[in-house]
Every structure is written in C-alpha cells, then in structure tokens.
Amino acid sequence: MSEKVTLTIDGREIRAAAGGKLLWAALDNGIYIPNLCAVRERVRPAASCRLCFVEVEGSAAPVTACTQPVKDGLVVRTRSERVDRLVRSAFELLLSDHRLQCRECPANRSCGLQKIARERGLKLRLTRLKPLPKEAAIDESAAAFSFDRSRCVLCGRCIWVDREVAKVGAIGFTRRGLERTVTTFEDETLAESICNECGLCVHACPVGALYFKQPE
Amino acid sequence: MTAAAIEAQYAGLQKQAVAKTAVQKSKPLVRVGTATCGVAAGAIPVKEAFEKEIGSRGLDARVVEAGCMGHCYAEPLVVIDKPGFAPLCYGSVDGDLARRLVADFLAGDDPCYEFALAALEPNDVFPTFSEFPRGVCEEKIILERCGFIDPEAIDDYIARDGYAALAKALALPPEEVLAEIKAANLRGRGGAGFPAGVKWEAARGAGDGVKYVICNADEGDPGAFMDRSILESDPHQVIEGMIICAYCVGAAEGWLYIRAEYPRAVERIHTAIRQAREKGLLGQSILGSGFAFDLRVFQGSGAFVCGEETALVSSMEGKMGMPQTRPPFMAQSGFRGRPTVLNNVKTFSYVPHIVSRGADWFKGTGTPGTPGTAVFSLVGKVSHTGLVEVPMGTTLRRLIFDVGEGIPGGKKFKAAQIGGPSGGCLPEAALDVPIDFDSLRQAGAIMGSGGLVVLDEDDCMVAVARFFLEFTRHESCGKCTFCRLGTKHMLDILTEITGGRGNPASLEVLRELAEDVQAGSLCNLGRTAPNPILTTLRYFRDEYDAHIFEGRCPALMCKELIAYYILPKKCSKLCDACVGSCPVEAIFTRADGLKEIDQQKCVKCDNCRKACPPEHDAVVKLSPPSLLSGKEGVPK
Amino acid sequence: MFSVPLPLASGEREEILKIVGDILKNHAANRENLIPILQQVQAKLGYLPGPAMEKIAAASGVPAVDLYGLATFYNQFRLHPPGKHRVNVCMGTACYMAGGRIALDSFERRLKIKEGETTPDRNFSLERVACVGCCTMAPVVVVDDKVEGRVTPTRVDGILLECGASNGAAGEAPAAENTPAGREQAEGAQRS
C-alpha cells in the first residue's frame, strides 16, 4: 500500500493513500462528489461526465476530482459558486439527452442522476435547454435484461466491465460526437452479438439504460 | 566519429548536389507550382502544355514541378529560369500563355514582361516580389524555399544548404543543440505556443529508453493550409527539423501524422524520406555520426479532434481519436506509453534555421515574448490571398491591408476570423493588435495554427459563429458532456437566431453555455469551441440583436431572413439572363416583358443576382423579407 | 437510427475475405495497424463491409465492435459502397462564406439526395468535407479527386453533365436507399 497522507476536504481532515484519486478518497470518507463515469480500478480515468468538479487550493479553475491525485496537504472544497455552476450545467446537459420519465423507469429511486439531483438540490427537469429528440430503440433481445439507449448517459461503465471483468468484448463505443453510442458490432441486437448475457453491465449501469426484465 | 568527419561527409553530399544542380542551371528551367491549390487552378494542363510545346520545338529545356509560392491569388504560377535572365514568375498561366512563353521566351529572347508577376532575383529590368508592398512586410524563414525548389529532388534542397544544420548539430553534443533551441524561445506553432525547448528537455530527461518524435500534420482547421503547403513544397525542411529534435531527445523513431485528405503531401513526404535514406540522412549512423533515426508516415483518417495530441496518439495506437486527461504528459508517457515529443510542421521547420544561424538571430525577429515569424493562410475577402510569413508582432491591419492589399470590390472590412474553430472574430477596432500568442488571446481570439479568414460587410457574424459551431458539433469526439451536448445546444440556439426564431432569453443561455463549455470541457477542442460565439457576442452584439428583434440579417446572408426582388425600374425587356440562371425556374417573364421572382419557388441561391448584367443591376436582396410587401407585383 | 448493412451477393463475401486476407499478409494484425489495414481495405473495396471487419478482428484479437467503432468514428471510412462519382463539397470557412452551402444545396437539388447519401442508381454520392486546403478558390468542390473552384449553381449543372449524368440517371426517384427494393435496385445497378 502506498503511504497515507493527510488532506482537507470541506474543512475536514482525512487520511488517504497518496497518489490515489481525490474522488475515491472523498467518497470513502462519506463526502459526496457527483459522478457517473468513474470506475475505481481504472488507471486512466475517463473523466468524461464532467460532474465531479471541486476547488483545489492553488488551482486557478475547478478540477475534476476523478483525475486529481491525492497529495499531502491538499486543501479541497467540494462546493463553490463556480463548481455549482459547472455541475448544474453538466447535469442539465445530460438530462437534455436522457429520456426523462422517472416514474416509468426501472432505475427509479436507484438512479445516479436522481442521486445527484438530491445531493445538490438540482431539478430533474430542464430549465434552460430544450430536450434533444431521442429515439427509443430498446433492445429486448437478451433473455434477462434490456437496453434502452434513450436513457444512456454514455458513462462507459458497462463497456468497462464487459472488457475488464467479463472479458467478452461484445459492446463498445461507436460513432462520434452527438451520435456516440454504446452498441454491438454492426448494431446487432445483444442476442445476435457475442454477448454472453452475464448481466454484469446491468449492475454497472448508473441509470436505467440497462435493466433486468424481472426486478431482482 | 569526429565533428570534422561529419562535416566532411556533408560537404561531399553538398558538392555532388551543387554539381548536379549546376548542370541543370545551364539549361532553361520551367517550374510549375503544383501544390494542391496550383493543381486545382489547372497547373497540370499548363505543365503539359509547356512539355508539349518544348518537345515539338525540340528545345533543350526542363519542366519540373515545384511547390507553393504563396501567391495563391495568381495560380497557376510558373517560374522560368533561363540563363542570361533573372528568374521570372508568371501568374494565372493557361495553355495559351504557356505556348506563347515557350515560343517567345524559350525559343526567342522576349521574356514577355507584360505577363510577368515579378522577378525572383534583383536585376535592372524587372521588380522582385520584395519590392511589392507585401514583400516589404514579409520576412520569409520557413517559406523561403517554398515554390523555388523541386520538392521531389533532395539535391535542390542540399544545394541550398539543406541538411547543413543537421551536420552542424550532429557535430555538437545534444545538450548544446537543445540549449540553443531553448534559448531561441521557439514556441510551438500548433496553436498553444508552448516552448518547444521545454518539451524537448522534459523528454530528454525522461530516462534512456525508447522515445518518439511525432510531427503533427493533421491540419484540420477549415480555412488553413500552411502545413499542407510546407509539406508539399519543402518536405526536407520538416524532416531535418525532426532529425535534429530526435538527436536532442535521444529518439530513434519518428512519425509524421498527415491527414489522408492531403494525398499530395503524403506522396511527397514518402519521396523525401526515401531520398533522405539514400543519402544516409535517415537510418543507421546519420552522416556517419553513429546516431540512428528513421521516419514513418501515419495517415490520419479524418477527425479534427486528432489535432489534439492525446487524441492523435490514441489514433496512432489504433483507437478512436479520443483525448485523454493529462497528466501524464506526452514527454513522460505518449505514443506506446513512451516519452514522446509532438510538434507541429511549422515548429519543426524553424529548427534547422535556428541551429544554423543561432538563437540570437532568431530572437532578432518578432516580439520578445514570441520570437520568429508567423505563417498565415490569408483567405476570404482579401485581394491577395495566399500563404504569407510575417514577423510576430506585425499588426492584423498590416497583414490584411498591406500584405493582402485590402478588401476587393470596394467593400468594407468587417472582421478577421483568426485561429479557426477555436479562434475568434476580431473587429476593425482590434486590427492594431500585434500578432503573437499572448496579445491575440487577450483580444479573445487565438493564434491557432494560422488560418486567417477576412470577412467583409456581406458576411453575417451570427452565421459565421453558427458555421464554426456546426463544425465543432460535427467534429466533437463525443467523449465529454460539455463538448458533446454543449456544442449541440449552442448550435441549436444559433440556428434559431439565424432562422429568425431567436429570442432574447436564449441569447443569455447561449452565453452561459459558452462560458461553461469553455470552463468544463475535457480537451482544448471543447474548451475553445465557444470562442467564435464569445467573440462575436463581444464585438458584434448588434447583429445578434438585429436578427432577434427585427428579423433582419444586416449582412443579407441568412437565407431565411432575406428575399430576392427584381427592380422593375432597372429590369430590361431585352434581357433574360436571370431566367436562364435560375436552377428552380422561379423567375418568369411578366406580360410587360419584365422579369419577376416567384417567392414561393425561390431557393435564394444568388445565381440570378450574379447573372444580371452590371448595366441593369436589377436584382436586389432585401432583409427582412417583409420589406417585399407593397412592392410592385408582390401579393400582399 | 441504425442503418442496415447491405446484403452481399453470393461470391461477394468470398471475394472480400480474399482481399482482406491478402492485405493481412502484409501487416502484423495488431491494434496499432488497424487503421492502416482499414485504409487499405477501403482503398481496394471502396468501403468497409462487415465480413472484412470481422476478419480483421479475428486476426488481431481486437473485439469486432472496436473495428466498427473505428469505422464509424473517422470521416474517411464508409460502411456502404460509394457512388461511381464522388462529389465532395468543401465546407471550409472560406468556402462556406463564399457560397459552399449554396453549392451543396444545388447538388442536393439536382441529384435529389441529401449529403451523405448515394443516388439510387449508385452513380453519385454526395458528401461534405471539412477543408481541402484550396481556400483561395472558394467555393470548392472535389469531384472524383478533381478540384473544381468557384462553383456556382450553373457550374454544378456543368459538373454533373461532364460526369455523364443523363437527367434520368441523376435520380428521378427519391433516394430509396433505406427500402429493401431500393437496395436491390442499387445492388443490381452496381453489378450490371
């Protein structure tokens, strides 16, 4: 284990392993920082959801906690006007591309987006932006679970477990920009693809994009 | 190997090259500019016309291809170098002029001065480019040879002291060469302006293992073609710079990452690499020094984001070109996880010059903060478009009005779009900003890689902002939330405004989003994508307001806010140029013989306005379209 | 949102696999070579058919979906055979400001397809490109690797005529690419 150091988050002194990432040090100590794409085991964080901004003393601008290495004497604030503004914007951007029908969603009450809204007092509806049209292309071909891309927030956690834990390689990111999609080779259904339906990706999904047909 | 032996080996190469080119100099030589832009303007048929005419007359003259001479407004360009005359450059050459030049100048002794643009060497008869207003402002370092050597003949380059800097460097300890680059404060010309020497030093200090040198030639800014021109015109200059860099940092392998959209550049670099290997300038023990280095080419598959260094390396590793978080920095962990130096085509191009002439010479040009020159592709509404090189610190005004000779057609200057999709639009009031990395950033634009598009009164600034957002929306890799979705929402708001459906509240949302995307994006593509919006909001707010509050496009550009109208008073019964020009048959002849536009059918393609003869000048654009009501022949 | 891959005719699959096999002989099938390999496959076949990607995936041990990811990420790669004539309209800054959009509209109108599509007879495909670096001749269109400068709607008609488009061939029918009948028709036209 690497050496333990002391850092301060929101005025609280905590001990954490040097070189680890700030996000995990905070979460392990019960200090919440919003996140969707973070995977603890990942050596190089994706840093793609842009929700975990914090203020670090000495940095001119907010930094993402998932990429910030833990150092001795680090002084961190999880909230500031700038941080709140960035988190609010990133959150609303994600909502604008997410089919917002919480009551019909299998992830209702366990959803990562709902958690962020609750913790940060954010609205679960669009205030400034218009919803982007989403086609509901639900893949129900797998026996135990379904994949609703209109709810996907592109965090990439399903792909990570598919590759690193299940070691299958059935799904991946394809396309670019707004068209970026989690899908299979040539957009086959999961049943047609090499997916072995282990279901690990369903557990990894922070929202209701991948969900079991029968609640567990 | 001693320093003297390296110098001697180089001297041998140069002697051969000089001898070879001297033989060629005894015969008349025709150089046809065949970089991509020359070819587009018809250089290949011109070259064939020369060859055919020379052949049929049985003349002893050579026709070779050259690169870009920078005077793009006058393509195709040809240089004729006939013993006894100063080399002369001719512009806008076509087949007829080619045959005439062969008959009168090559066969006879009349240089046809009436068609000549300039001489290339001082003489008593004809002015040179340096006597042009533009020549006075320009100072050519890395463009000096472009267009005046055969890019496919390494001897042309060596005869003009090419690879002499390499020989000099290899005779010195690497630390000393590196110290010179650092002392010169050579700042990266890819856009950010990070000092190259600092990068190199970090890579040099990163242990003794395998290291890489990569040249970023993934020039993707719409409106920029400097890197392409240099690769097509003087490829060895880039290669020489890369070898010297590799020597400094201790790399044995280098890569050129070139856009696949630049097939000619790829071809010429391959030829140059092959020739350099044959001369022992690449490969094992370069110039007998014991230093080994070789180059390979990677063709980029077309993704603007791959200009970002971590994305570029991802794509070289066979992945989607997606930016990564930093640290680790390239100098510690880049290509294949090894220390990597990545610089732009232009940055490497300066290196041989700095090594040859020294850091103090380099710092004698430009500003204290940014020594050297700036290379721009000067395009848009400017009389003399082309590739220009001016000292850093030159003002935009000088660049546009002296080098570019102002706006054509008596139109009024409106803005300079500098730095491409990451840059901004600067108004008249900002034209006295000196061009360097820091001043431009303060003004809200960026130096970028050197695209400069001049806009005049006919260009709508909201449409310009929208154009760039359409570009970044399309080219965003989609990895991070702000860039993927932020560019989409900003584009949607701009589309509403240019379509006459904007509202004041959405303008506030636009500004907030722009600031947040700037602050929150993962890589520089996203962080700089809002610049076109932020600068147009800052300098051209009145145009946004005209669209939103009056439904009017002041530049008469936004299709949904304009209408075409034929002025009955000016239209002639005897002319039907507009009728034939209309691609959708929207123009008809009225009972009185005058022409009229069916507004329902009109697609606003501007063809009729162009087709209407100047003596009538009867077709006008109106904005807002409501101005049509009450006009003669227009139903209420 | 997903377009269906074209069905392959009998014998076509074997031909594709043979060509890919030949290309793989000259390249170590590792991840780093994937893009050069895909570039060569496309240079030979004009596009990247599914069986080609699967074969490369199998040879390299990279998941097939990652090949699909590359093929859909980069502008250069195509998943469908291009038309006989490729019309690329430059949308660089200078071209856009000088009427690139008007040129694109004109092609769309004449060919009766949208950018990114191919005419049902597979005679033309229409694409926009970022910048071909000929900004001083704006607006620029690249037709089958030949650069055309200063393109107006009138010139668009001229270009299509030079490509031998009879009025009918330019596509009387709307793009039928996405209907099975259209695909068959297109396939037939391509092979005849």
Side-chain angles (χ1 to χ4, degrees):
Chain A
M1 257 328 268
S2 40
E3 169 210 4
K4 291 261 179 180
V5 293
T6 304
L7 64 158
T8 313
I9 306 179
D10 293 340
R12 226 182 92 192
E13 277 200 1
I14 62 167
R15 304 267 299 158
K21 297 294 190 272
L22 174 63
L23 175 66
W24 305 109
L27 294 176
D28 290 347
N29 284 278
I31 301 169
Y32 182 72
I33 297 172
N35 70 90
L36 284 174
C37 70
V39 175
R40 189 187 291 259
E41 295 79 9
R42 248 185 117 129
V43 185
R44 206 162 184 175
S48 62
C49 71
R50 317 308 286 169
L51 286 164
C52 65
F53 281 105
V54 295
E55 297 276 359
V56 169
E57 212 162 83
S59 289
V63 298
T64 44
C66 69
T67 56
Q68 171 65 45
V70 169
K71 286 184 237 167
D72 193 39
L74 204 65
V75 179
V76 179
R77 279 187 303 145
T78 61
R79 304 290 295 269
S80 74
E81 210 175 297
R82 295 191 300 183
V83 163
D84 287 357
R85 178 172 164 179
L86 282 175
V87 174
R88 181 176 81 115
S89 270
F91 186 74
E92 189 169 358
L93 284 168
L94 285 170
L95 284 195
S96 75
D97 195 37
H98 174 82
R99 188 153 63 91
L100 265 175
Q101 282 164 329
C102 292
R103 259 184 301 179
E104 292 163 26
C105 178
N108 194 10
R109 309 181 82 85
S110 65
C111 168
L113 289 168
Q114 287 178 336
K115 182 173 170 72
I116 295 166
R118 199 166 54 241
E119 294 276 352
R120 287 291 162 100
L122 297 169
K123 293 193 175 83
L124 273 168
R125 61 179 194 81
L126 299 175
T127 55
R128 297 173 295 167
L129 307 177
K130 293 183 179 144
L132 299 175
K134 292 291 267 182
E135 272 180 60
I138 304 177
D139 180 351
E140 294 181 310
S141 66
F145 57 87
S146 300
F147 183 20
D148 179 354
R149 289 190 178 83
S150 68
R151 295 204 188 99
C152 175
V153 290
L154 298 175
C155 69
R157 282 158 64 160
C158 53
I159 298 172
W160 195 84
V161 294
D162 168 71
R163 302 298 170 90
E164 305 299 326
V165 184
K167 306 217 181 273
V168 174
I171 50 173
F173 280 121
T174 63
R175 299 174 176 80
R176 196 175 68 202
L178 203 63
E179 287 79 38
R180 183 169 162 92
T181 316
V182 175
T183 187
T184 55
F185 177 67
E186 289 199 310
D187 307 315
E188 295 165 321
T189 61
L190 287 166
E192 288 167 327
S193 79
I194 59 168
C195 170
N196 63 6
E197 302 187 20
C198 68
L200 284 175
C201 60
V202 183
H203 292 288
C205 181
V207 294
L210 281 156
Y211 54 94
F212 289 109
K213 291 177 177 174
Q214 299 295 323
E216 289 196 313
Chain B
M1 198 81 181
T2 63
I6 294 169
E7 302 274 6
Q9 187 155 347
Y10 175 73
L13 282 182
Q14 200 182 28
K15 205 175 147 195
Q16 272 175 15
V18 169
K20 196 168 166 192
T21 49
V23 173
Q24 290 166 354
K25 268 189 190 152
S26 61
K27 292 184 210 168
L29 177 68
V30 179
R31 293 184 196 279
V32 183
T34 56
T36 300
C37 40
V39 172
I44 298 296
V46 166
K47 184 182 168 228
E48 287 162 0
F50 271 107
E51 286 165 342
K52 204 170 156 214
E53 193 66 19
I54 287 169
S56 68
R57 288 172 179 270
L59 298 172
D60 188 14
R62 283 198 323 138
V63 182
V64 298
E65 294 187 17
C68 170
M69 304 174 203
H71 295 265
C72 307
Y73 58 90
E75 293 281 7
L77 287 158
V78 169
V79 171
I80 299 185
D81 195 347
K82 183 173 172 177
F85 294 87
L88 285 165
C89 179
Y90 301 85
S92 310
V93 180
D94 58 13
D96 286 339
L97 182 54
R99 283 181 283 276
R100 166 122 184 236
L101 286 167
V102 174
D104 292 1
F105 189 17
L106 294 180
D109 261 335
D110 172 11
C112 305
Y113 286 121
E114 63 272 34
F115 297 109
L117 212 56
L120 302 183
E121 284 166 14
N123 63 89
D124 304 335
V125 192
F126 207 73
T128 60
F129 277 123
S130 57
E131 291 164 58
F132 278 40
R134 142 172 193 177
V136 177
C137 313
E138 277 199 282
E139 187 172 328
K140 289 198 173 186
I141 298 175
I142 60 174
L143 295 185
E144 199 192 350
R145 280 179 295 244
C146 289
F148 305 115
I149 57 169
D150 181 349
E152 297 183 4
I154 191 171
D155 283 327
D156 259 26
Y157 182 73
I158 297 176
R160 294 183 188 222
D161 294 330
Y163 290 107
L166 175 63
K168 183 178 173 185
L170 292 176
L172 294 168
E175 305 80 33
E176 231 170 274
V177 184
L178 179 55
E180 201 68 21
I181 300 295
K182 262 191 90 176
N185 190 18
L186 170 62
R187 297 178 67 175
R189 297 309 203 256
F194 191 80
V198 175
K199 260 191 200 178
W200 296 14
E201 194 171 48
R204 179 173 172 76
D208 293 328
V210 176
K211 294 171 192 172
Y212 297 99
V213 171
I214 300 175
C215 175
N216 183 349
D218 190 47
E219 185 172 54
D221 278 21
F225 53 87
M226 305 75 52
D227 296 352
R228 192 212 73 215
S229 286
I230 293 172
L231 293 173
E232 289 179 346
S233 310
D234 197 357
H236 287 287
Q237 177 176 252
V238 183
I239 293 175
E240 187 177 2
M242 289 185 75
I243 308 173
I244 295 172
C245 169
Y247 179 66
C248 289
V249 304
E253 191 178 320
W255 290 76
L256 285 128
Y257 187 103
I258 309 179
R259 283 177 82 192
E261 288 96 327
Y262 285 175
R264 238 182 147 67
V266 171
E267 208 179 290
R268 285 189 171 163
I269 275 289
H270 274 300
T271 306
I273 290 173
R274 204 186 59 239
Q275 292 176 343
R277 283 188 193 135
E278 285 163 9
K279 298 264 181 198
L281 294 160
L282 280 175
Q284 297 301 316
S285 190
I286 294 173
L287 288 173
S289 64
F291 172 66
F293 179 69
D294 210 345
L295 277 174
R296 295 169 70 179
V297 174
F298 188 94
Q299 287 195 49
S301 285
F304 177 69
V305 65
C306 289
E308 202 276 346
E309 59 181 23
T310 56
L312 183 148
V313 164
S314 288
S315 89
M316 285 180 64
E317 290 171 347
K319 301 174 201 152
M320 290 155 85
M322 224 99 63
Q324 299 272 351
T325 58
R326 285 175 293 193
F329 291 98
M330 285 282 141
Q332 275 83 44
S333 171
F335 183 47
R336 297 175 180 160
R338 303 299 313 167
T340 301
V341 170
L342 199 145
N343 279 126
N344 171 269
V345 171
K346 294 179 288 294
T347 315
F348 282 124
S349 295
Y350 286 105
V351 170
H353 301 278
I354 293 171
V355 171
S356 283
R357 297 188 249 185
D360 288 333
W361 161 82
F362 188 68
K363 286 195 285 191
T365 304
T367 61
T370 315
T373 54
V375 175
F376 284 98
S377 50
L378 183 59
V379 297
K381 307 288 178 59
V382 60
S383 299
H384 281 192
T385 54
L387 195 63
V388 302
E389 183 169 8
V390 293
M392 287 282 182
T394 305
T395 62
L396 279 170
R397 191 182 300 281
R398 211 165 152 73
L399 190 58
I400 295 166
F401 289 94
D402 295 339
V403 179
E405 300 195 11
I407 319 297
K411 296 279 185 178
K412 201 169 163 294
F413 170 88
K414 186 185 273 181
Q417 206 292 329
I418 186 162
S422 313
C425 296
L426 302 181
E428 170 87 36
L431 280 187
D432 295 308
V433 170
I435 294 167
D436 66 61
F437 291 103
D438 311 309
S439 311
L440 284 174
R441 196 168 295 150
Q442 265 170 25
I446 63 158
M447 182 89 178
S449 60
L452 178 61
V453 184
V454 180
L455 305 171
D456 72 8
E457 57 189 282
D458 294 337
D459 295 318
C460 168
M461 301 314 292
V462 188
V464 169
R466 192 194 162 279
F467 163 76
F468 282 112
L469 260 294
E470 193 176 12
F471 180 84
T472 37
R473 207 292 288 157
H474 184 252
E475 292 294 338
S476 164
C477 79
K479 181 176 177 178
C480 88
T481 304
F482 279 108
C483 184
R484 179 180 72 246
L485 297 166
T487 54
K488 167 67 178 162
H489 282 287
M490 291 190 288
L491 173 63
D492 284 352
I493 293 172
L494 289 169
T495 306
E496 281 177 5
I497 297 174
T498 55
R501 302 178 301 277
N503 63 66
S506 64
L507 207 54
E508 230 5 79
V509 178
L510 180 66
R511 183 196 302 279
E512 282 174 25
L513 269 180
E515 287 167 0
D516 291 345
V517 171
Q518 191 174 50
S521 292
L522 173 62
C523 84
N524 273 332
L525 185 143
R527 275 196 289 264
T528 57
N531 283 350
I533 295 177
L534 291 167
T535 50
T536 48
L537 275 174
R538 175 167 158 194
Y539 297 119
F540 301 96
R541 174 62 190 256
D542 54 324
E543 293 199 26
Y544 282 88
D545 289 343
H547 284 75
I548 292 172
F549 295 107
E550 300 167 47
R552 178 173 67 89
C553 174
L556 302 171
M557 187 178 171
C558 294
K559 238 166 121 174
E560 286 156 274
L561 297 183
I562 58 168
Y564 282 80
Y565 180 65
I566 299 173
L567 295 164
K569 269 187 196 145
K570 288 185 155 190
C571 182
S572 160
K573 291 173 187 172
L574 304 174
C575 163
D576 58 0
C578 57
V579 178
S581 76
C582 180
V584 291
E585 289 161 18
I587 307 181
F588 60 93
T589 307
R590 311 192 308 200
D592 60 4
L594 301 181
K595 313 300 173 295
E596 192 177 312
I597 298 171
D598 180 342
Q599 297 295 334
Q600 302 301 315
K601 284 189 184 167
C602 175
V603 293
K604 298 165 189 176
C605 72
D606 208 45
N607 225 25
C608 53
R609 204 173 63 91
K610 288 200 189 91
C612 184
E615 62 268 32
H616 302 313
D617 191 23
V619 183
V620 293
K621 284 197 268 186
L622 305 168
S623 180
S626 58
L627 288 179
L628 276 176
S629 68
K631 294 261 187 229
E632 191 188 333
V634 175
K636 290 258 161 79
Chain C
M1 84 184 270
F2 300 134
S3 63
V4 187
L6 289 169
L8 295 170
S10 66
E12 211 172 340
R13 188 187 163 85
E14 289 66 32
E15 178 66 16
I16 289 167
L17 294 179
K18 190 186 165 299
I19 288 171
V20 174
D22 289 345
I23 291 168
L24 285 172
K25 275 181 209 150
N26 299 322
H27 288 84
N30 54 37
R31 195 175 248 282
E32 234 178 55
N33 280 334
L34 292 182
I35 290 176
I37 291 169
L38 290 175
Q39 285 170 336
Q40 291 201 14
V41 170
Q42 182 160 298
K44 283 262 185 215
L45 296 170
Y47 74 114
L48 299 175
M53 289 189 274
E54 281 176 301
K55 182 162 175 132
I56 300 165
S60 59
V62 171
V65 64
D66 285 4
L67 271 296
Y68 188 57
L70 294 176
T72 53
F73 184 87
Y74 292 102
N75 293 330
Q76 188 189 11
F77 296 128
R78 277 186 299 267
L79 295 174
H80 299 286
K84 193 172 134 212
H85 298 290
R86 277 171 302 124
V87 179
N88 289 330
V89 182
C90 180
M91 280 289 163
T93 317
C95 288
Y96 177 81
M97 299 314 291
R101 183 73 237 181
I102 290 173
L104 183 61
D105 283 348
S106 304
F107 277 109
E108 288 184 342
R109 196 162 49 235
R110 283 292 182 251
L111 295 171
K112 299 194 172 103
I113 53 172
K114 295 279 165 210
E115 59 166 280
E117 293 178 349
T118 303
T119 52
D121 61 5
R122 299 244 157 242
N123 213 8
F124 289 94
S125 42
L126 180 62
E127 273 164 48
R128 68 153 72 191
V129 289
C131 183
V132 292
C134 300
C135 310
T136 60
M137 303 181 53
V140 165
V141 174
V142 187
V143 184
D144 298 335
D145 297 328
K146 182 166 177 258
V147 179
E148 303 270 354
R150 306 196 173 88
V151 177
T152 60
T154 314
R155 183 71 199 117
V156 166
D157 293 345
I159 290 168
L160 293 178
L161 273 175
E162 284 160 33
C163 289
S166 67
N167 284 334
E172 280 299 316
E177 246 196 306
N178 295 323
T179 65
R183 278 203 299 278
E184 272 167 38
Q185 195 190 334
E187 280 296 293
Q190 195 205 358
R191 250 173 273 111
S192 58

